[in-house]
Amino acid sequence: MQKNNIILPPKTIGIIGGGQLGRMMAIAAKYMGYQVAVLDPTPNCPTAQVADQQITAAYDDMQAIKQLTELSDVITYEFENVDLEAAAYIEEKGKLPQGAFALEVTQNREKEKQNMRDAGLPVPDFFIVKNGEECSQALESLTYPAVIKTCRGGYDGKGQIKLTSEADNKEAIAFADQHQHCIIEQWVSFDKEISVVFTRAQNGKIEFFPIGENDHKHHILYQTTVPATISDRVKQQAVDATIKLAEKMNIVGTFAIEMFVDGDAIYLNEMAPRPHNSGHYTIEACNISQFGQHIRAICGLPLTKIELLQPAIMVNILGEDMEHALKHMAESESGFIHLYGKDAIKEKRKMGHLTFIAETLEQVKQLVRSYEEEQA
């Protein structure tokens, strides 16, 4: 095990990316007494609103990366599409404890799935195709339904097409010709999706947050319920798979793996090398948040043993939900509202989230039902 490189307040934490995840990282860091610098091309981005300073530049601007590296004692990132040349530079300077490898893997669905498969973990069958012809050949070996996705980019359902029958093949072939590097996956029938959010220290110690159960609407996470309604066997499989992958990839910091649950079987879907939307409930429902634990990990501090204080449900607030969320905030005592400080309200854009907690899961569900009924 490597020795932790300890960074103590008031030293500076650099964050690449200025969205809501960076904002919540910065709030956790400021609470602990750290200085925060953010690199983001948008002036007064959500993270900059709570940081000490902002470098306003593109993420792949190497001069800006060098400036951030010089003024920061440690650097982290809030999304996976960090320029790999920039990440390698920061790692070489000894200021990126998370390393560049996790970014390289999670930026590319082929590498992501191959990494899971190489670790002996259960994943849906998949094919990698580089053009329409290869796509056509791959489709002959698949049963329907299936899904074709771009290997790079795409989130919240973007950059993918579900294939339900041969009638969709033409669209899939055109998609492969357009995007070139694609993955075709067998569609997995599943009972539920879960998220395993955990934090791994520089010395290899892992702390798990309670497993969350996710519900989506229009391919966007709608809500996460904790604890997830899963068997002990599923929980153990999920934990064992996570440990195997975390050690293989030498993860540092907070990390998330989404999995499908089918009966007592699990299939790993996607992973994120950073705090995750499905872990936002931890701010109110646990004794330490995914963000606070992440800051502890990258700064070489001992991880906190995690406790779930109360059952919780986190509900995303999209642009079209803002009016209702603010009305609820003004009129109801239930729920903790977090708004991200984004400059424009747009439909399907994540503007914030609400977390409901109570003594029992049924009581939490009733709070969420009341919130939904107010909107109906």
Side-chain angles (χ1 to χ4, degrees):
M1 286 188 179
Q2 68 188 83
K3 186 179 178 182
N4 287 4
N5 179 25
I6 297 175
I7 308 291
L8 292 173
K11 289 189 174 177
T12 299
I13 297 172
I15 302 175
I16 301 174
Q20 63 262 29
L21 297 178
R23 180 189 181 91
M24 288 182 272
M25 280 183 202
I27 290 170
K30 294 296 292 177
Y31 179 84
M32 295 166 72
Y34 290 97
Q35 300 287 300
V36 175
V38 60
L39 169 62
D40 192 276
T42 304
N44 196 40
C45 58
T47 307
Q49 294 163 20
V50 297
D52 297 282
Q53 52 188 314
Q54 176 180 3
I55 298 171
T56 308
Y59 303 126
D60 60 354
D61 181 331
M62 283 307 296
Q63 282 306 114
I65 290 290
K66 288 174 182 176
Q67 186 185 349
L68 182 70
T69 306
E70 197 170 304
L71 62 86
S72 303
D73 296 282
V74 65
I75 291 176
T76 185
Y77 43 79
E78 67 130 25
F79 56 74
E80 46 271 42
N81 291 317
V82 175
D83 181 73
L84 290 181
E85 182 189 347
Y89 173 83
I90 303 166
E91 185 174 16
E92 188 183 307
K93 295 296 180 184
K95 294 186 178 181
L96 190 71
Q98 293 162 271
F101 180 68
L103 288 170
E104 184 183 337
V105 170
T106 53
Q107 283 180 10
N108 186 308
R109 287 192 173 94
E110 177 180 3
K111 291 182 179 178
E112 188 174 62
K113 281 292 192 292
Q114 197 59 56
N115 214 55
M116 292 173 178
R117 183 183 274 177
D118 290 347
L121 300 174
V123 295
D125 289 337
F126 66 90
F127 294 86
I128 302 300
V129 298
K130 301 289 178 65
N131 53 50
E133 188 178 342
E134 289 182 10
C135 175
S136 179
Q137 291 170 1
L139 290 171
E140 291 175 12
S141 306
L142 277 174
T143 53
Y144 297 93
V147 61
I148 183 168
K149 305 175 184 177
T150 55
C151 277
R152 293 182 67 88
Y155 62 95
D156 290 344
K158 300 177 179 74
Q160 66 181 54
I161 302 172
K162 185 178 179 182
L163 313 174
T164 55
S165 70
E166 283 186 17
D168 297 319
N169 285 10
K170 187 176 179 182
E171 188 181 2
I173 291 165
F175 184 89
D177 266 333
Q178 179 189 349
H179 296 285
Q180 302 293 304
H181 191 193
C182 298
I183 183 169
I184 304 176
E185 295 178 39
Q186 193 69 61
W187 190 268
V188 176
S189 62
F190 58 93
D191 303 320
K192 60 189 66 179
E193 182 193 280
I194 59 173
S195 280
V196 182
V197 180
F198 65 95
T199 309
R200 186 171 184 268
Q202 294 174 38
N203 65 8
K205 179 177 170 57
I206 298 179
E207 287 290 344
F208 285 87
F209 290 96
I211 294 174
E213 184 174 328
N214 298 330
D215 290 305
H216 291 79
K217 285 185 178 179
H218 310 295
H219 302 291
I220 301 171
L221 181 66
Y222 169 61
Q223 66 179 34
T224 298
T225 302
V226 179
T229 308
I230 52 175
S231 67
D232 288 343
R233 183 178 174 189
V234 165
K235 182 178 178 181
Q236 195 58 53
Q237 285 183 82
V239 166
D240 289 347
T242 298
I243 291 171
K244 191 178 283 189
L245 197 59
E247 291 181 347
K248 182 178 189 295
M249 293 178 65
N250 195 26
I251 297 304
V252 171
T254 295
F255 195 96
I257 306 176
E258 294 174 337
M259 304 182 188
F260 298 130
V261 178
D262 183 21
D264 269 347
I266 62 166
Y267 296 92
L268 276 68
N269 181 28
E270 293 181 342
M271 49 190 176
R274 50 166 172 78
H276 193 260
N277 193 173
S278 63
H280 292 348
Y281 76 89
T282 60
I283 297 171
E284 282 84 24
C286 294
N287 60 321
I288 187 167
S289 75
Q290 62 168 343
F291 303 100
Q293 195 84 297
H294 180 71
I295 297 300
R296 295 187 70 84
I298 64 167
C299 291
L301 307 179
L303 298 184
T304 299
K305 187 169 176 56
I306 295 164
E307 296 175 35
L308 180 66
L309 303 176
Q310 287 193 309
I313 296 178
M314 184 284 303
V315 181
N316 270 332
I317 299 170
L318 304 183
E320 57 268 36
D321 306 320
M322 275 288 287
E323 187 178 342
H324 169 56
L326 290 172
K327 186 172 184 289
H328 178 85
M329 186 181 187
E331 297 175 357
S332 176
E333 63 186 32
S334 70
F336 297 86
I337 192 163
H338 296 255
L339 297 177
Y340 301 148
K342 294 187 177 179
D343 59 351
I345 298 173
K346 297 177 184 175
E347 191 173 335
K348 301 289 181 283
R349 188 184 197 190
K350 292 174 185 171
M351 305 302 298
H353 71 269
L354 263 165
T355 301
F356 296 91
I357 60 173
E359 288 185 14
T360 68
L361 195 52
E362 188 46 54
Q363 287 173 333
V364 184
K365 288 179 178 177
Q366 183 54 53
L367 292 174
V368 174
R369 280 195 290 269
S370 296
Y371 172 72
E372 291 171 335
E373 284 164 5
E374 291 166 10
Q375 192 173 17

